[in-house]
């Protein structure tokens, strides 16, 4: 049985981002959806940003994608990602391995998503301090969890913030 591969560290040159119209680099925020997949052979990351998930990009055999979305709660936005651990097709040991790999690779996935959509932070800098959660979906209760992953600011490097300051002033 094949398990999710380890991608290691983020490399901007291996990230390919596309927007599904009518979504663009700046609008809309509420309901903005992300589909992040990768190539096992090249290590390339593929990010689709739109008002719907890119279901055609999902490999139904491996289910190693990350789906995420911005939600408005009161006057703030919350970023919620989802990963699929098991719906019963993976046994418990394989599900444990998938869960641990997803947990470990979550920071890389979030870095790729936030870097790939960095223009939206120039227009909505308040999003940088929004809460980030990842929901792990599984039929096994020990792997069915929602974990807090900080805020987008933690995943963007200092060069992004220099660019943002230059754009604002």
């Amino acid at each position: 049985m094949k398990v999710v591969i380890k991608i290691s560290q983020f490399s901007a040159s291996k990230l390919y981002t596309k927007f599904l119209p009518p979504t663009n680099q700046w609008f809309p925020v509420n309901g903005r959806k992300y589909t992040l997949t990768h190539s096992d052979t090249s290590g390339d990351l593929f990010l689709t940003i739109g008002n719907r998930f890119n279901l055609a990009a999902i490999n139904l055999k491996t289910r190693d994608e990350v789906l995420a979305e911005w939600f408005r709660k009161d006057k703030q936005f919350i970023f919620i990602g989802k990963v699929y651990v098991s719906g019963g097709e993976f046994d418990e040991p394989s599900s444990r391995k998938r869960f641990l790999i997803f947990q470990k690779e979550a920071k890389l996935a979030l870095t790729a998503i936030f870097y790939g959509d960095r223009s939206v932070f120039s227009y909505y800098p308040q999003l940088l301090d929004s809460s980030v959660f990842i929901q792990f979906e599984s039929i096994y209760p020990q792997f069915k969890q929602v974990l807090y992953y900080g805020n987008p600011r933690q995943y963007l490097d200092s060069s992004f913030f220099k660019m943002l300051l230059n754009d604002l002033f």
Side-chain angles (χ1 to χ4, degrees), residues 52-63:
R52 63 193 180 282
F53 295 115
N54 184 359
L55 301 178
I58 296 172
N59 182 329
L60 296 176
K61 290 182 181 180
T62 59
R63 290 302 312 266

Side-chain angles (χ1 to χ4, degrees), residues 74-145:
D74 300 321
K75 294 183 180 186
Q76 297 180 6
F77 281 97
I78 297 172
F79 187 86
I80 299 178
K82 292 182 183 181
V83 295
Y84 182 84
V85 176
S86 178
E89 70 279 28
F90 301 110
D91 62 12
E92 191 171 347
S94 295
S95 296
R96 177 184 323 281
K97 188 179 281 189
R98 287 175 58 82
F99 174 76
L100 293 172
I101 291 171
F102 274 130
Q103 242 186 338
K104 182 178 182 204
E105 298 295 334
K107 290 179 181 177
L108 172 75
L110 291 168
T111 299
I113 290 169
F114 296 138
Y115 181 84
D117 200 21
R118 62 196 176 279
S119 295
V120 81
F121 296 109
S122 296
Y123 206 77
Y124 299 99
Q126 69 273 21
L127 294 177
L128 289 165
D129 296 311
S130 299
S131 293
V132 174
F133 297 92
I134 295 189
Q135 178 181 343
F136 295 82
E137 298 176 337
S138 179
I139 62 162
Y140 300 104
Q142 65 270 35
F143 309 128
K144 186 176 182 174
Q145 299 181 26

